[in-house]
Amino acid sequence: MQIIKYPAKEQWEEILKRPSMDFASLFDKVKITLDNVRENGDKALTELTKEFDNVDITQFEVTNAEIEEAEKLVSLELKQAIEMARRNIWKFHSEQLNEFSEIQTSPGVYCWQKTVPIEKVGLYIPGGSAPLFSTVLMLGIPAQIAECKEVILCSPPDSNGKIHPAVLYAARVAGIHRIFKVGGAQAIAAMAYGTESIPKVYKIFGPGNQYVTAAKQLVSLNDVAIDMPAGPSEVEVIADETANPVYVASDLLSQAEHGPDSQAILVTTSEPLIEKVLEQIETQIEVLPRKEIARKSLNNSKIILVESIDEAISITNEYAPEHLIISTRSYMVVAEHIVNAGSVFLGHMSPESAGDYASGTNHTLPTNGFAKAYSGVNLDHYFKKITFQQLTPEGLTNLSNAIILMAENEGLQAHSNAVKLRLNMR
Amino acid sequence: MQIIKYPAKEQWEEILKRPSMDFASLFDKVKITLDNVRENGDKALTELTKEFDNVDITQFEVTNAEIEEAEKLVSLELKQAIEMARRNIWKFHSEQLNEFSEIQTSPGVYCWQKTVPIEKVGLYIPGGSAPLFSTVLMLGIPAQIAECKEVILCSPPDSNGKIHPAVLYAARVAGIHRIFKVGGAQAIAAMAYGTESIPKVYKIFGPGNQYVTAAKQLVSLNDVAIDMPAGPSEVEVIADETANPVYVASDLLSQAEHGPDSQAILVTTSEPLIEKVLEQIETQIEVLPRKEIARKSLNNSKIILVESIDEAISITNEYAPEHLIISTRSYMVVAEHIVNAGSVFLGHMSPESAGDYASGTNHTLPTNGFAKAYSGVNLDHYFKKITFQQLTPEGLTNLSNAIILMAENEGLQAHSNAVKLRLNMR
């Protein structure tokens, strides 16, 4: 890890710079895949699955029999763990339902907002080394609470043509309606355009590699909404002298094991803590199965020594971390000043892994500084809001002068006429 | 207008197809502008403003003196109209503030969500024939309610180097902090990257031509959030035999005068209404200053005769119109079944122009079928939500089995260790 002591404010931008993401450079390549699926449907999916996943698939939809088989393969303990996570995610996201009642903005002008679930949503769950069944819960449960009518899931098949049993089990728990064995940019294309087997959806959620990310960006330009732009995962820990270096090191390593491009940043007011954390990292990393990945990631990672907690807060709001762990004496006071972050973990007993799995908050969060403008996935992401207005003759009369004057000053005479004709004003 | 009688359901997709938008074809061109501004800052802005707006600008920020001068140029009547609109927009958007309180998802696991205003937002207001001061109100007032710290506005200067007085006046009314004379893709670049004069923002709102739209899409890939993807404006009217053809024609024309690519669609159960509406359009269009534009737009427009109101509802949810006017006997019953639309106008006395200016609802709405997944601009667009969690030792103990099992089953040992080390489990 790179150690930076007392950087001047002018250096912050450079220090906090993330590895640059340029998915646009993949667009040409990914566009060929998208166009192929758009034109050739299932035939293209079969070919691309053969090419990228080394398996022949012609029947993409996972059958009930396959799901029931998967259910038997998941241990009782893991099922109980999933149930605990499900319950907490459900509780936290249910609280996010909002009411909005009709208001009269002027006499006779009734306006309201209706929150309507997005009818068709698609979830993408990557394959690869780790079966991300926790992400199935995080993306599926809010869709269930929102009562989206059609929730589908795509995930790449392994070389035996199967999806990991824990993913299938979690999909059933989260009430996913249909599951398809297809991955990569071709899965995104299938959900954006529809094929013979896979229905078109209105919004696509979920993480993925750079091809999946590029594909999501491309289809979002014109065809379908996406959850948010995605980049490598990241954590920042703010720590003072009360922080436990064992815990801090374990949190930095939790992030580092995600992938070689993950970023872990420690911002501290305590110089003695730095050495202790580094020692702990060395001790703990040795026994990790993914230690090679973690080591690579730590090369991108930084420890920043600052003068004061105030400075730590400023640097944090500038960086806008996806995950923020506040391990300081007065962590609640610090938390009050955080305005740019995805999800915040307070105090010494709140590791990021609690939120990754089971506290109930969502783990799909804005990376790459997007926390300055984006929320993590929450119930809002599964709804859109429609506004309604109903005017009585009196209501239209009350607004008529304002509408007519504004429309005519904008050069829009027909807008004005729509009012005048209704009120016999011409 | 094209008249389609009793189309079969299989034909709907073809009938409802919008003119295709391909902003991606402009990307290469627009990217040159973006890169130029990113590298050369104000110097590039001056050159591009000279090229596209035919005016020399070196001081981009509008001064207080200029705003005060503009204020004198706006008539008292228009000021009163703007005040009425402002008050209604403020009322409607203020109602959208949401509360979310802390919950305990498991004993000792406290989770909450904090709604935080996006600190820096930028509004783009096009120049051209119509000064869109109403859009200044629609995009500025929610930012004011949200208490965004820095709200800036960019709009192209006219050939005298000025912005229309009504735009400047509305900006002051809406509490915009700083105003800059720059338009086009270069304005979007300036707000996305920052220049010497113009601060970088975190989210960009506002309509624009195809270059502005392409620029917004490009900067949204990696640098800054945007309000929503944009396409040509559109209205659908559902009408039965109780509809007044004079009003229906005036509403279709309100849409048609926006631009040659605007779409107006009438879906009706009443065959006799069609002839009457066409006659009324001919009568009303003659006196419109923008009749040439309206005629072009009507060429893209359609009248669809359907068997029943149920069919009209289905076709509407398939089309997902930006604006929907329901002029039927039982308009409230129809409204209950609408799930895909931007803003809905109910009954015979609620023209679209009411919502365009003064009812209080927002007029920045999803076009191009995006209403299937997107909301129109509302207060949420100016906030992001940060999740927080605080676990007591008991709380972490309660979750520990779930976290450890799930993390280890996902192959993420360090995630598990972050819990075990805290609970002395190894």
Side-chain angles (χ1 to χ4, degrees), chain B residues 393-415:
Chain B
E394 182 209 3
L396 187 59
T397 305
N398 283 335
L399 297 188
S400 59
N401 271 335
I403 300 170
I404 291 166
L405 263 160
M406 290 176 75
E408 293 183 1
N409 272 280
E410 289 193 349
L412 298 173
Q413 188 64 45
H415 282 65

Side-chain angles (χ1 to χ4, degrees), chain A residues 21 91 105 134 222 251 254 257 339-340 343-344 348 359 361 380 384-385 387 389 410 415 422, chain B residues 21 91 105 134 222 251 254 257 339-340 343-344 348 359 361 380 384-385 387 389-390 410 415 422:
Chain A
M21 302 192 309
K91 270 195 200 169
T105 54
S134 61
N222 208 5
D251 292 331
S254 295
E257 76 173 342
V339 292
N340 294 324
S343 193
V344 183
H348 307 297
S359 68
T361 63
D380 300 344
K384 65 257 165 58
K385 293 174 177 172
T387 51
Q389 49 248 291
E410 289 192 349
H415 282 65
R422 280 175 166 88
Chain B
M21 302 192 309
K91 270 196 199 168
T105 54
S134 62
N222 208 3
D251 292 332
S254 294
E257 75 173 343
V339 292
N340 294 324
S343 193
V344 183
H348 307 298
S359 68
T361 62
D380 300 345
K384 64 260 166 59
K385 292 175 177 172
T387 52
Q389 49 249 291
Q390 184 198 1
E410 289 193 349
H415 282 65
R422 280 176 166 86

